[in-house]
Amino acid sequence: MAKAERKGLGLWVLLVAIAVLTGIFAGTVLLKPEAVEITSGTILKSPRPVEPFSLTRDSGAPFTNADLAGHWTVVFAGFTFCPDVCPTTLAELKAMTAKLGATADQVRVLLVSVDPGRDTPEKIGQYVRFFNPAFVGVTGTDAQLEALGRNLGFVYAKVDGATPESYTIDHSTALILIDPQGRIAGYLTPPFKPDTMAADLNTLLASRR
């Protein structure tokens, strides 16, 4: 190969390398979306994957990771016999959904029952639909729920009552945000204000379009 040809080939390789590095820089820095901040909780800098799981939906059908894709999901761990926190939170989520307006169909509210001993799929379905027909309820075995809790970041514990049937359950109150890619995106923390939560969700929806 002639010296001039070798020189021309070297220059071409150098230009290609510069172009590749420029593209990488643009993709990782210049085109990197700005971090989104919300008032009612915290958004993770890097969304975390939701590990594979399988629960039972209120309809009796399986509920898996695939059901989290394509929309934002607000996850609440609770139970239908809960005397105060659960109905209050679901009422606030009902109000939040109403305030979302045109974007309400892009957000799903999901109740994960942590009381598999009493909460049948049918009972969970009746419970969540009392607040909003679009709300979804799921449950599973203790092993399935504990594994999901470790992954999503919720905990619960059975508290014995006066009789075997009158027990209650202590549980986390934070809400878990799952993005349309089925990843843990952040958390909403009490006190829950429907106006603020709706505004924050609309901010997230706008930022991920």
Side-chain angles (χ1 to χ4, degrees):
M1 182 182 292
K3 183 177 181 180
E5 291 178 343
R6 289 198 302 271
K7 183 177 180 180
L9 179 60
L11 179 61
W12 181 81
V13 171
L14 178 61
L15 290 174
V16 170
I18 291 173
V20 171
L21 290 173
T22 301
I24 293 172
F25 177 79
T28 58
V29 178
L30 299 179
L31 300 181
K32 184 178 180 179
E34 294 183 5
V36 178
E37 294 185 359
I38 61 174
T39 304
S40 52
T42 302
I43 296 299
L44 303 179
K45 291 182 179 179
S46 298
R48 300 202 318 265
V50 175
E51 296 174 0
F53 70 88
S54 180
L55 299 175
T56 302
R57 188 171 174 152
D58 49 44
S59 63
F63 188 93
T64 67
N65 298 69
D67 294 289
L68 299 176
H71 52 263
W72 283 86
T73 306
V74 181
V75 181
F76 176 53
F79 62 114
T80 67
F81 284 81
C82 181
D84 41 34
V85 173
C86 299
T88 299
T89 300
L90 287 169
E92 290 163 339
L93 289 171
K94 174 184 177 180
M96 176 205 74
T97 302
K99 293 178 182 299
L100 283 172
T103 61
D105 63 345
Q106 300 177 50
V107 178
R108 173 181 288 171
V109 172
L110 178 70
L111 172 67
V112 177
S113 171
V114 292
D115 186 9
R118 295 180 296 193
D119 283 350
T120 64
E122 181 181 10
K123 185 173 183 62
I124 298 168
Q126 293 173 345
Y127 184 70
V128 296
R129 282 189 284 276
F130 171 80
F131 295 93
N132 189 316
F135 287 5
V136 176
V138 297
T139 191
T141 65
D142 277 320
Q144 291 171 326
L145 294 168
E146 288 169 4
L148 184 66
R150 286 193 297 271
N151 183 206
L152 297 190
F154 68 80
V155 295
Y156 66 97
K158 185 176 179 180
V159 180
D160 292 335
T163 66
E165 296 77 23
S166 64
Y167 64 87
T168 187
I169 296 177
D170 288 342
H171 58 88
S172 303
T173 56
L175 305 173
I176 303 111
L177 291 175
I178 308 296
D179 69 14
Q181 289 71 49
R183 304 171 301 181
I184 305 164
Y187 297 89
L188 302 180
T189 51
F192 301 123
K193 299 179 181 179
D195 285 333
T196 306
M197 290 192 294
D200 284 339
L201 280 167
N202 276 324
T203 296
L204 290 169
L205 287 166
S207 71
R208 304 294 174 94
R209 286 173 185 163

